[in-house]
Amino acid sequence: MDAIEREMPLILADVDLLDAQIITLDRTPSELDERRIRRAIAGGAGMGVLLAAAGLLLRSVRPNLSGRHGFPLWATLTAHEIADTVSRDLAADIAGLSRLAVAKFTCLRRAVDLTLAGGALLVLAVLLAMGGAA
């Protein structure tokens, strides 16, 4: 009998642990579940925004080698053809390169803004995970 009495607290502790696990599996959604959902939404949104920012950054630094104006066109010409082209179409080349630069800088600006927003969402997710924001 002494052996059973000595082991009884351990057995009861195991039973209590099993009861707690069963209750956890059988419970209805609670505030804890809502917090997990908020963290997942904030973290997922942050990651999505950062992926969009990375896509914009890659798009903005990807070279446009269509060859219609400027350097891509000049690379296909001889020195004499470049001089002729520049003397006739300098304004068109400047306009084409300017549009290209504006498009690239617009993408870069959006990517930086999205990076800041994504970082803020990830900080929010961390705060929610730490319980600092409800």
Side-chain angles (χ1 to χ4, degrees), residues 76-89:
T76 64
L77 303 176
T78 65
H80 181 56
E81 291 171 329
I82 291 173
D84 289 342
T85 302
V86 169
S87 66
R88 307 183 255 120
D89 296 333

Side-chain angles (χ1 to χ4, degrees), residues 59-60 64 68-70 89-107:
R59 183 175 150 213
S60 69
N64 182 359
R68 295 178 301 188
H69 295 289
D89 296 333
L90 183 61
D93 285 337
I94 291 172
L97 291 172
S98 296
R99 282 190 293 274
L100 178 68
V102 168
K104 285 187 177 290
F105 284 120
T106 300
C107 274

Side-chain angles (χ1 to χ4, degrees), residues 22 27 33 37 44 60 65 108 111-112 117-118 120 122 125 127-128:
I22 290 170
R27 66 185 170 88
D33 293 327
I37 290 170
S60 69
L65 302 176
L108 284 172
V112 168
L122 290 178
L127 289 175
L128 290 171

Side-chain angles (χ1 to χ4, degrees), residues 39-50:
R39 287 192 304 256
I41 289 171
M47 289 304 297
V49 169
L50 286 176

Side-chain angles (χ1 to χ4, degrees), residues 3 16 20-21 31 36-37 41 45 48 51 61 63-64 66 74 76 101 105 121-122 127 130 132:
D16 288 340
Q21 290 174 347
E31 183 179 323
R36 285 182 184 156
I37 290 170
I41 289 171
L51 282 174
V61 298
N64 182 359
S66 64
W74 299 337
T76 64
F105 284 120
L121 286 169
L122 290 178
L127 289 175
M130 292 174 23

